[in-house]
Amino acid sequence: MGEGKRERGELAGTHPPLPNPSPTRGEGLWRWRSVWGRCPRWLKVMLLALVVVFALDRAFPLPPPGGAASQSLLVVARDGTPLRAFPGRDHVWRHPVALDQVSPRYLEALLGYEDRWFRWHPGVNPLALGRAGWQWLWHGRVVSGGSTLTMQVARILEPTPRTLVGKARQMLRALQLELHYSKDEILALYVNYAPMGGVLEGVEAASRGYLGKPASSLSYADAALLAVLPQAPSRLRPDRQPAAARAARDKVLERMRGVWRDADVDDAFDEPVIAQSLRQPLLAPLLAERLRKDAKGAARLDTTIDAATQETLELLLTSRLGALPPRVSMAALVVDNKTLEVRAYAGSADFADSGRFAFVDMVRAPRSPGSTLKPFLYGLALDEGLIHSESLLADVPQSFGGYQPGNFQQSFHGPVSVAEALVKSLNVPAVEVLDRLGPPRFVAALRRGGLKLDFPTGEQPNLSVILGGAATTLEQLVGAYTAFARAGMSGQPRYRPDDPLREQRMMSAGAAFIIRDILESGGEAGGLGGRTLQQRPGVRRGVAWKTGTSFGFRDAWAVGAADAYTVGVWVGRPDGTPNPGFFGANVAAPLLIDIFTAIDKAPPAPRIAPPEVTQATICWPLGLRFDPAEAALCHRRAVAWLLHDTAPPTFPDRLRGGEPRYAYEVDAVSGLRVSAECREGIQKRPRLRIAAARWPAALEPWLLPDLKAKAEPPAWDARCPSAPDPAGGLRIVGIRNGEIIQRPRPDQPAVIRLELRGGRAQGGEVYWLINGRLAARQAARQPFIRRLEAAGRVDITVMDDFGRYDRVSVSAR
C-alpha cells in the first residue's frame, strides 16, 4: 500500500520527472508518418499542391519585366517630356510611367473593355474562358477573347504560340504573376509594356508618339483608342490606318456607356482620329548621351531640363547656322540661379550635322576663355581692397616684366576707370590689376570659387591668364557667373533633380553687386546711385554680361547673369581652327541677347545694395575721396562704388618714383613758377606754395588739354632755371606741330617720315601711335614712315617704356 502511494506520489509530480531521452532519427520519421496518416485527404492534396507549385515556381521563374527592354533608357525633361530614347536590344521605345501619371480615363477604358473583373479573379477568369470557348465552338471562329489582363501580361513577358498548349502555359504564368505581384503592379506592367504598334510599347510612348501629349492628358476618345490598340497594334495604328482605328475606338466608347456620361461618350464619337508620324524624341541629345553613362541600368532618367526652354534654345541655334562658315559649331547653357538646375543644354549647333562636329559636346570641352575672366579679377581686387569702381588705370602701352599686352582693337584710351576698363574689355588695365593682385593668388581664388583653370604641362599661372592664357569649360564658366546673381556664391550646374547642391564663395556679396551693376549699366554707377544710366546696346536693364575672344579667333564667348537665369554661349570650331573676324561681341553676344529675350520675360526686380556697399565722390589722379579742402588736387571727379566704405588710392607709379603729392612755388604777382634757385631779383618777391597731384607718368601723354592744364604746373619764370622737359628729351623731327600736309594728287596719299631726337632717344624701343591706335613698335633709331590715306587731323604720339613722350598734330589735305 505504501509502495503504491509512493508510486502515485511520484506519478503526481511529488518528485521532478526524469528528462525524456531525445528521439532517434527513426522514431522522428515514424512520428511524422503517424501525423501524416491522421491528416484528412483534402489537406494532403492541398499540401502536395503547394509543394508542387513552389517547386514549379522555383524551376520556372518569371521572366524579368521587359526582357531585353531592361537595357532600354528614356531621358525625360522635368515635366516628363521625352528628351531622347535609347532603345534596348529589341529596338523598342518605352516610356516608363507610374499608374498615377496615367489618365484615369485610360484605366477605366482599359479595365471596362478588356477585363472588368480584373480586381477579383486570381489571374484566370473561368467564366470568360468558358464563354470564349463556347463562342468558338458555335461560330467556328474566335468571337471574343477569354484572356484576362494578367494573361496578356504573361504573354508580353513570355510570348507563347496561339495554341491550346500555349494558352495553358499562359494561364499558368498568369497564376504565377498573381502570386508575385499585386494587382496594381500587374496593371503597371501592362501599361508600360503593351504593344502599341511599330516600335512603341506602353501607353506613355503611344500617347506621346501618336498624339503628342502625355498619358496624363488623354481625352475620352484618346483613352478609348489607346485601350483597344494592343488588340491589333499593326492593323489599328492610327498614323497608318485611321479608319480602322476609329472603328475600334468607337466600339470601346459604346461599351463605356454607363461608366462614362452619355454626353462625354457622344462628344468622343465626334472626335476624328488624327495621329502624327512617329519620330524619335531628340531634345538635348548630348546631355542625354552624357547622363546615359551614369544610368546604371535605370529605365528612365529624370533631368532638370525645361522642354520649352530647350526647344527654344535649339531653334535659336539652328536659325544661325546659315550665317556660319562650314564646320563652325555653337554651344549654350541655361542655368536657373535659384536652384542651379540646368534648364537648357546645347552641346553642339546641330546634332544632325556631322560636318559641324555634331557629336562633340562643347559644353564640357576645355577652351581658352578669352576675356571672360575679367569680372572675377575686378571682383576679387575689390575684396582685397586694391580698387574701387572708379580707380584710375592706365590703358597705354606698358611692359610688365617683358610681357607687353595690347588691346583687341590695337587702340589705347589713356586714363580709364575700373568700370570703363571692364565694360570695354581693355587688356592692359586688366593685366595691371592682375600684376598687383598676383596670378597665382587669382587662380587659387577662382579654384576655391569652383572655377578650375587648366594650364599646359609644366606651366605656372602668369599674367596672360587674364587674357585667355589657360583653359576652362562653358559649364564651369556659367557656374562661376551665377555668383553675380547669387550674392557672390557660385555653384555647380545640376542636371538631375537628385543632384546635390554644390556652391562656393567666389567673392563677397558687395563685390558681386558692384561688378554686376557695372556690367548691367555699361559702367555708370547711376543704375542705383543717381548718375545717368548709359545702357549697353541691345540688352535691357537686368542682364550683366561679358564677352571674350581667344587668341587667333578660335573661341567666341558671351556669358550673362540676370535675376532668374545665367546663360553662356560659345561659338567656334571644335578642332581649334581660327575663324578670323569671329569674336565674342559680334557672334556670341547677339545670340546671348536673343536667348535672354526669348526665355526671360519678367522685368528685373529692384535690387538694394548690400550694407557694405556705399557711394562716394572720388578724385583723379589720386583716387581718394573728394575733400573740399584739397580741391586743387582733384582734377576730375567721379561717383564710385566703395566696398566697406574704403577708397583705395591709385596704384603707385610704375615708371616714376616719389609720392603722388608734391608742392611747388609760384610768384604771387605773375603766377609763374619759381624756386630757390631763381636769381636774386625774384627771390624777394612774395611767393605762394601750391599743393599738386601727379598723374602716373605713363598717362601724361594721354591727358586732354583741360586735364593737362590742371595737371601741369605753370611755366617757369624767365629768371629761373627751367625744370626738365616733361617729354624727357624725346622730340619728333621731320614734321612740325600744326603743319598741313598736302597730297601730291587726289588719288595719292601723303607720306611722312619721322625720326626721334634727344639724348636718350637713340636706345631701346618706342611706340608710335596714330590717333591713339598703336601703329608701330620699333627701335628708337629706326625712322617711322606712314602713309596718310584719309584727309583730316592726325595726332602722332611717340613714347617709350619710361613714360617719356612727344606728340604732334597735323592735317592732311
Side-chain angles (χ1 to χ4, degrees):
M1 197 69 149
E3 292 179 359
K5 290 181 180 180
R6 188 165 51 248
E7 290 176 359
R8 286 195 297 272
E10 291 174 357
L11 291 174
T14 305
H15 299 285
L18 296 174
N20 294 326
S22 300
T24 64
R25 183 176 180 183
E27 291 175 345
L29 182 60
W30 179 84
R31 290 182 180 181
W32 276 112
R33 286 177 178 174
S34 178
V35 172
W36 177 258
R38 291 196 298 268
C39 286
R41 182 174 296 178
W42 63 268
L43 183 58
K44 293 179 181 179
V45 173
M46 288 185 63
L47 291 174
L48 287 174
L50 288 175
V51 171
V52 171
V53 168
F54 178 77
L56 291 175
D57 183 66
R58 297 297 297 271
F60 302 97
L62 283 169
S70 59
Q71 302 300 317
S72 65
L73 173 66
L74 178 69
V75 182
V76 300
R78 61 199 297 245
D79 64 348
T81 300
L83 298 178
R84 188 176 180 186
F86 297 94
R89 291 187 295 271
D90 52 1
H91 304 288
V92 171
W93 297 353
R94 298 177 182 87
H95 297 185
V97 66
L99 288 182
D100 58 2
Q101 297 173 312
V102 178
S103 171
R105 297 168 181 170
Y106 171 76
L107 298 178
E108 292 168 357
L110 178 64
L111 296 179
Y113 184 74
E114 288 286 351
D115 190 357
R116 61 181 60 187
W117 298 103
F118 171 73
R119 296 289 180 183
W120 307 104
H121 61 65
V124 177
N125 189 341
L127 295 178
L129 287 173
R131 184 194 67 242
W134 172 256
Q135 290 175 340
W136 174 62
L137 291 174
W138 181 261
H139 295 281
R141 60 183 176 83
V142 175
V143 176
S144 64
S147 297
T148 63
L149 275 180
T150 309
M151 292 172 64
Q152 294 183 49
V153 171
R155 187 173 65 243
I156 292 172
L157 297 181
E158 186 181 60
T160 55
R162 293 181 178 274
T163 62
L164 291 178
V165 174
K167 181 65 71 173
R169 184 168 183 172
Q170 189 182 122
M171 293 166 62
L172 292 174
R173 286 298 193 191
L175 295 172
Q176 192 177 11
L177 277 169
E178 295 281 351
L179 289 175
H180 286 271
Y181 296 100
S182 68
K183 287 292 185 178
D184 281 345
E185 289 172 336
I186 294 172
L187 186 59
L189 287 173
Y190 182 90
V191 165
N192 281 287
Y193 294 100
M196 293 291 184
V199 295
L200 300 181
E201 285 190 1
V203 65
E204 182 74 9
S207 181
R208 292 189 181 274
Y210 294 130
L211 308 177
K213 65 175 71 173
S216 60
S217 303
L218 297 177
S219 66
Y220 290 101
D222 298 333
L225 173 65
L226 297 186
V228 75
L229 188 55
Q231 286 196 348
S234 298
R235 186 171 56 84
L236 300 179
R237 277 186 60 168
D239 60 332
R240 295 183 179 179
Q241 306 291 339
R246 181 166 187 169
R249 181 205 68 181
D250 292 349
K251 184 179 178 181
V252 177
L253 289 173
E254 190 62 41
R255 187 174 296 185
M256 293 306 294
R257 290 187 183 276
V259 179
W260 294 340
R261 296 186 312 164
D262 287 344
D264 294 330
V265 173
D266 293 338
D267 290 341
F269 273 118
D270 294 334
E271 284 190 30
V273 172
I274 300 176
Q276 61 187 14
S277 300
L278 293 184
R279 57 180 180 179
Q280 182 180 5
L282 204 62
L283 285 173
L286 288 177
L287 174 62
E289 184 71 37
R290 172 180 177 176
L291 297 180
R292 178 190 184 188
K293 298 176 182 177
D294 300 325
K296 298 179 181 179
R300 168 172 167 156
L301 282 181
D302 290 275
T303 72
T304 62
I305 295 295
D306 181 83
T309 304
Q310 179 68 33
E311 188 170 0
T312 298
L313 178 65
E314 293 187 10
L315 288 174
L316 287 172
L317 265 61
T318 302
S319 67
R320 280 168 164 74
L321 291 177
L324 295 179
R327 308 186 72 78
V328 171
S329 186
M330 293 178 286
L333 192 67
V334 179
V335 173
D336 186 307
N337 291 327
K338 184 177 181 180
T339 63
L340 293 178
E341 293 180 346
V342 174
R343 296 297 181 230
Y345 184 113
S348 62
D350 183 1
F351 191 68
D353 189 350
S354 59
R356 297 186 185 274
F357 304 91
F359 298 97
V360 180
D361 189 351
M362 296 308 298
V363 170
R364 307 170 67 191
R367 307 291 290 197
S368 166
S371 295
T372 56
L373 301 182
K374 289 175 181 175
F376 303 105
L377 170 66
Y378 292 117
L380 293 171
L382 280 165
D383 279 333
E384 292 295 328
L386 296 177
I387 59 173
H388 50 69
S389 69
E390 297 297 319
S391 289
L392 175 62
L393 300 176
D395 183 36
V396 299
Q398 296 190 65
S399 177
F400 300 89
Y403 181 57
Q404 299 174 328
N407 286 323
F408 181 77
Q409 300 288 350
Q410 291 300 311
S411 61
F412 297 93
H413 299 75
V416 296
S417 67
V418 164
E420 183 180 359
L422 176 56
V423 170
K424 293 182 178 179
S425 194
L426 303 178
N427 291 343
V428 179
V431 173
E432 182 179 7
V433 174
L434 181 59
D435 186 51
R436 306 288 181 175
L437 181 63
R441 193 175 182 182
F442 174 60
V443 172
L446 291 180
R447 183 184 293 269
R448 288 194 300 271
L451 179 56
K452 179 184 177 183
L453 299 180
D454 296 327
F455 294 88
T457 304
E459 292 291 330
Q460 297 297 321
N462 53 55
L463 293 176
S464 69
V465 68
I466 197 59
L467 306 183
T472 189
T473 65
L474 179 61
E475 179 180 63
Q476 289 195 60
L477 203 56
V478 172
Y481 263 78
T482 61
F484 300 116
R486 305 178 74 246
M489 296 293 293
S490 63
Q492 180 178 327
R494 302 169 59 213
Y495 298 104
R496 301 192 59 190
D498 54 354
D499 285 345
L501 182 67
R502 295 190 177 97
E503 52 186 0
Q504 306 85 20
R505 172 66 63 186
M506 176 64 75
M507 63 187 70
S508 70
F513 174 88
I514 293 173
I515 298 301
R516 178 176 177 180
D517 185 74
I518 291 173
L519 293 176
E520 281 185 6
S521 63
E524 293 290 344
L528 295 172
R531 287 199 294 168
T532 303
L533 175 65
Q534 295 183 354
Q535 187 69 29
R536 297 166 80 184
V539 180
R540 60 178 172 81
R541 173 78 177 175
V543 179
W545 59 284
K546 182 73 183 71
T547 61
T549 307
S550 67
F551 178 76
F553 300 95
R554 289 175 171 83
D555 307 275
W557 301 84
V559 191
D563 291 336
Y565 302 105
T566 296
V567 180
V569 171
W570 173 89
V571 182
R573 285 187 55 158
D575 61 0
T577 302
N579 292 288
F582 277 61
F583 47 92
N586 74 343
V587 176
L591 177 57
L592 179 81
I593 295 166
D594 288 348
I595 293 173
F596 270 113
T597 302
I599 69 172
D600 193 2
K601 304 294 186 181
R607 291 188 296 115
I608 301 175
E612 64 270 25
V613 175
T614 56
Q615 283 190 320
T617 301
I618 60 92
C619 294
W620 282 1
L622 299 180
L624 303 175
R625 293 173 183 269
F626 171 70
D627 185 353
E630 297 182 326
L633 304 182
C634 190
H635 302 166
R636 174 178 288 178
R637 302 180 191 179
V639 177
W641 288 115
L642 306 184
L643 193 59
H644 303 297
D645 205 32
T646 301
T650 300
F651 292 148
D653 199 327
R654 296 171 49 83
L655 306 177
R656 179 171 55 198
E659 293 295 324
R661 296 170 181 259
Y662 71 102
Y664 58 88
E665 294 181 332
V666 297
D667 183 86
V669 178
S670 66
L672 297 176
R673 189 174 180 182
V674 296
S675 69
E677 288 78 18
C678 295
R679 291 198 295 267
E680 292 186 6
I682 198 173
Q683 290 181 357
K684 297 180 180 180
R685 295 166 63 95
R687 291 179 291 181
L688 300 176
R689 187 173 179 82
I690 306 297
R694 284 194 180 94
W695 286 73
L699 287 175
E700 289 182 349
W702 302 85
L703 298 181
L704 296 176
D706 61 327
L707 284 179
K708 198 167 187 177
K710 296 177 181 179
E712 293 183 354
W716 285 91
D717 189 286
R719 291 165 288 184
C720 298
S722 61
D725 188 346
L730 287 183
R731 184 164 57 89
I732 297 174
V733 297
I735 200 170
R736 298 187 306 275
N737 189 48
E739 185 173 343
I740 297 176
I741 309 297
Q742 299 286 347
R743 293 185 176 190
R745 294 195 305 270
D747 59 343
Q748 183 176 347
V751 179
I752 56 174
R753 185 180 188 277
L754 308 178
E755 296 182 2
L756 281 182
R757 292 291 183 269
R760 291 180 290 177
Q762 302 305 311
E765 292 184 328
V766 295
Y767 304 90
W768 291 91
L769 299 98
I770 302 294
N771 294 332
R773 297 174 65 92
L774 183 64
R777 176 184 167 208
Q778 60 188 44
R781 297 177 180 274
Q782 182 179 348
F784 175 68
I785 302 174
R786 184 76 175 182
R787 295 161 60 93
L788 303 181
E789 302 286 351
R793 174 174 170 168
V794 180
D795 295 323
I796 304 171
T797 305
V798 64
M799 63 184 300
D800 62 12
D801 289 334
F802 299 97
R804 297 185 292 262
Y805 70 94
D806 191 21
R807 175 183 291 170
V808 294
S809 296
V810 298
S811 296
R813 296 182 181 175

